[in-house]
């Protein structure tokens, strides 16, 4: 069994499920990134776009390829180093996923409802809000502490289950201004609140401890890696 490092800038995740860091990306850069997302999605001419069944959640995998001039503002290498220090692993592949949420009837929010990325191991996601996020436009929300002590929660949330329709515990929503960075252990029960108004733009860092992880995410999304 591989032990977590529990070290570095993200060691707060030993006790906290998530934390928000405001003002990481300048608002002007956020606006430029939002414009790029709109342009890529509205053209729809590449094989890196995924959309949910309602048309609410549109995603661009491998978004780093679309923003080479903006990439330094995301400090991806520093984030990966912090993730590796906390998890005690070495990232071998990664990608950025950009998504735009808009209201559509029956939408379940970003991620398609409450879920864990895995009940068996800890994962860390870095999520940059590119637009101001409030209670009605799809904030990230999670059950505090649900990334720990899964055995004691097994009657309510069976350990082998990834998605949850009925969650009785109070959920915490992360609202913040554009340019904020959200760091979360996504072993926790989490998801985007269904969007009721406006729009929400974000970029998420996915890391993998094997060289084929990024390609695997493409394929699991029904897309072909470049």
């Amino acid at each position: 069994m591989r032990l977590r490092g529990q070290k570095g800038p993200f060691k707060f995740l030993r006790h906290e499920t998530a934390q928000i860091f405001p003002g990481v990306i300048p608002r002007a850069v956020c606006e430029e990134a939002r414009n790029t997302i709109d342009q890529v999605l509205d053209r729809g001419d590449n094989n890196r776009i995924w959309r949910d069944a309602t048309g609410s959640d549109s995603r661009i995998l491998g978004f780093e390829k679309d923003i080479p001039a903006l990439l330094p503002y995301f400090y991806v290498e520093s984030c990966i180093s912090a993730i590796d220090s906390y998890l005690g692993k070495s990232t071998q592949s990664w990608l950025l996923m950009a998504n735009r949420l808009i209201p559509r009837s029956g939408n379940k929010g970003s991620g398609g409802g409450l879920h864990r990325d895995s009940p068996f191991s800890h994962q860390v996601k870095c999520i940059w809000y590119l637009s101001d996020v409030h209670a009605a436009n799809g904030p990230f929300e999670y059950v505090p502490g649900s990334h720990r002590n899964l055995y004691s929660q097994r009657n309510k949330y069976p350990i082998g289950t990834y998605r949850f329709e009925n969650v009785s515990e109070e959920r915490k929503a992360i609202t913040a201004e554009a340019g904020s960075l959200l760091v979360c252990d996504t072993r926790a029960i989490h998801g985007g609140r269904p969007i009721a108004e406006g729009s929400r733009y974000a970029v998420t860092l996915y890391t993998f401890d094997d060289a084929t992880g990024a390609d695997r995410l493409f394929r699991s999304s029904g897309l072909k890696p470049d």
Side-chain angles (χ1 to χ4, degrees):
M1 181 178 66
R2 183 179 293 171
L3 299 178
R4 291 183 295 146
Q6 296 190 346
K7 301 176 182 178
F10 293 168
K11 64 183 179 181
F12 61 83
L13 292 171
R14 290 181 295 178
H15 309 291
E16 302 178 47
T17 310
Q19 194 169 97
I20 192 80
F21 299 90
V24 172
I25 298 178
R27 294 187 74 90
V29 174
C30 291
E31 181 179 7
E32 190 171 350
R34 292 197 307 270
N35 290 339
T36 301
I37 292 171
D38 287 337
Q39 292 166 9
V40 173
L41 291 177
D42 294 345
R43 284 199 315 265
D45 59 356
N46 68 55
N47 63 354
R48 294 183 286 110
I49 296 174
W50 176 92
R51 304 179 196 273
D52 74 355
T54 67
S56 172
D57 187 356
S58 298
R59 301 184 168 201
I60 307 165
L61 275 67
F63 186 59
E64 65 276 4
K65 299 174 183 177
D66 301 299
I67 55 164
L70 302 183
L71 202 54
Y73 291 98
F74 290 82
Y75 298 98
V76 171
E77 290 184 1
S78 296
C79 289
I80 290 174
S81 177
I83 290 171
D84 288 351
S85 293
Y86 176 68
L87 294 179
K89 298 181 179 181
S90 177
T91 292
Q92 300 299 313
S93 59
W94 62 273
L95 62 77
L96 294 181
M97 183 278 291
N99 80 317
R100 179 181 69 189
L101 293 175
I102 57 176
R104 288 290 186 270
S105 177
N107 85 84
K108 296 183 178 181
S110 181
L114 293 170
H115 63 283
R116 299 185 195 274
D117 286 1
S118 171
F120 303 109
S121 62
H122 293 269
Q123 309 86 42
V124 177
K125 291 282 175 59
C126 292
I127 303 171
W128 294 267
Y129 282 170
L130 300 181
S131 55
D132 294 339
V133 178
H134 51 80
N137 71 337
F140 180 95
E141 58 182 8
Y142 64 94
V143 176
S146 57
H147 65 307
R148 305 189 306 269
N149 303 322
L150 267 64
Y151 188 76
S152 65
Q153 306 169 32
R154 68 190 185 282
N155 290 331
K156 290 182 293 185
Y157 308 120
I159 292 175
T161 301
Y162 287 78
R163 292 195 167 269
F164 305 92
E165 295 295 329
N166 300 304
V167 174
S168 58
E169 278 80 8
E170 183 177 355
R171 301 190 290 274
K172 182 174 182 178
I174 301 293
T175 59
E177 293 184 352
S180 299
L181 168 63
L182 166 64
V183 178
C184 181
D185 185 335
T186 52
R187 189 189 193 191
I189 297 172
H190 69 282
R193 180 180 294 175
I195 182 170
E197 64 183 39
S199 59
R200 195 212 74 179
Y201 292 76
V203 169
T204 302
L205 171 63
Y206 287 77
T207 62
F208 307 92
D209 61 1
D210 66 285
T212 61
D215 287 353
R216 190 167 59 251
L217 180 59
F218 270 89
R219 294 190 180 93
S220 68
S221 303
L223 304 174
K224 293 182 179 180
D226 289 343

